[in-house]
């Protein structure tokens, strides 16, 4: 995600959106059951892959998978989607429930959404997703990169993607 390309207002809107994704969770102080709260796991951006994968790099029905990824990403980043539904759309969602709940009622988070622009499968259960992070319907972080994972028979927004957005704000959130 490139913030340097953004001009004045767009840059401020993008930073406000990212801050909305980070401030609430930082205040909640949720813990990851699998690692001590003092341990911080660095977020590594996804490695770009070729948009033309082989048949073995794709799920059995790539068109259906792309449709589900688009639908689920749109719902996950929709501020009107209830936390209980977002938990189902996020990898390890139950562990991240407190983080997701912190976004409820946040004015900046209520203006943030996403538009999926491209999907490239890296395996039958993983995909790179290119999307625009929108604030008030306008691209604030265009051509952002994230990942989707097939977990529990559902294509979900990866925990790494959410944590990467939180990390942009400079906040440290347990579980990320």
């Amino acid at each position: 995600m490139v913030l340097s390309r953004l001009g004045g207002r767009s840059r401020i809107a993008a930073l406000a959106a990212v801050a909305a994704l980070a401030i609430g969770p930082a205040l909640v102080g949720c813990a990851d059951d699998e690692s001590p709260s003092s341990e911080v796991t660095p977020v590594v951006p996804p490695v770009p892959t070729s948009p033309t994968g082989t048949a073995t790099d794709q799920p059995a029905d790539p068109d259906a998978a792309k449709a589900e990824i688009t639908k689920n990403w749109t719902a996950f980043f929709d501020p009107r989607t209830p936390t209980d539904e977002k938990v189902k759309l996020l990898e390890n969602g139950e562990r991240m429930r407190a983080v997701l709940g912190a976004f409820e009622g946040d004015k900046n988070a209520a203006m943030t959404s996403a538009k999926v622009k491209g999907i490239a499968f890296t395996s039958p259960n993983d995909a790179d997703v290119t999307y625009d992070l929108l604030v008030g319907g306008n691209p604030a972080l265009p051509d952002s990169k994230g990942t989707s994972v097939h977990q529990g028979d559902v294509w979900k927004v990866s925990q790494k993607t959410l944590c990467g957005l939180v990390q942009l704000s400079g906040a440290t959130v347990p579980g990320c």
Side-chain angles (χ1 to χ4, degrees), residues 81-103:
T81 301
T83 299
D84 286 342
E85 184 63 24
K86 288 184 182 198
V87 164
K88 297 174 187 174
L89 300 174
L90 178 65
E91 176 188 26
N92 304 320
E94 280 300 329
R95 282 194 292 168
M96 300 297 288
R97 181 179 284 279
V99 175
L100 294 173
F103 301 138

Side-chain angles (χ1 to χ4, degrees), residues 1-142:
M1 292 177 244
V2 179
L3 292 176
S4 61
R5 294 188 332 202
L6 300 174
R9 283 187 182 209
S10 294
R11 182 179 174 89
I12 291 168
L15 292 174
V18 169
L21 292 171
I23 292 172
L27 296 175
V28 169
C30 67
D32 182 352
D33 293 338
E34 292 185 8
S35 64
S37 60
S38 62
E39 185 179 314
V40 177
T41 305
V43 176
V44 179
V47 177
T49 60
S50 169
T52 56
T54 65
T56 59
D57 290 342
Q58 298 187 35
D61 187 346
D63 290 336
K66 285 181 180 184
E68 183 179 348
I69 290 168
T70 301
K71 176 181 166 240
N72 291 351
W73 270 61
T74 301
F76 179 80
F77 285 100
D78 186 334
R80 298 170 297 198
T81 301
T83 299
D84 286 342
E85 184 63 24
K86 288 184 182 198
V87 164
K88 297 174 187 174
L89 300 174
L90 178 65
E91 176 188 26
N92 304 320
E94 280 300 329
R95 282 194 292 168
M96 300 297 288
R97 181 179 284 279
V99 175
L100 294 173
F103 301 138
E104 288 183 0
D106 182 273
K107 177 179 74 168
N108 291 319
M111 296 174 19
T112 305
S113 61
K115 178 182 178 187
V116 173
K117 296 173 68 179
I119 299 166
F121 294 104
T122 57
S123 81
N125 295 310
D126 299 284
D128 290 337
V129 179
T130 302
Y131 66 102
D132 288 344
L133 188 67
L134 308 171
V135 175
N138 297 310
L141 293 175

Side-chain angles (χ1 to χ4, degrees), residues 60 73 82 105 149 176:
W73 270 61
V149 297
C176 282

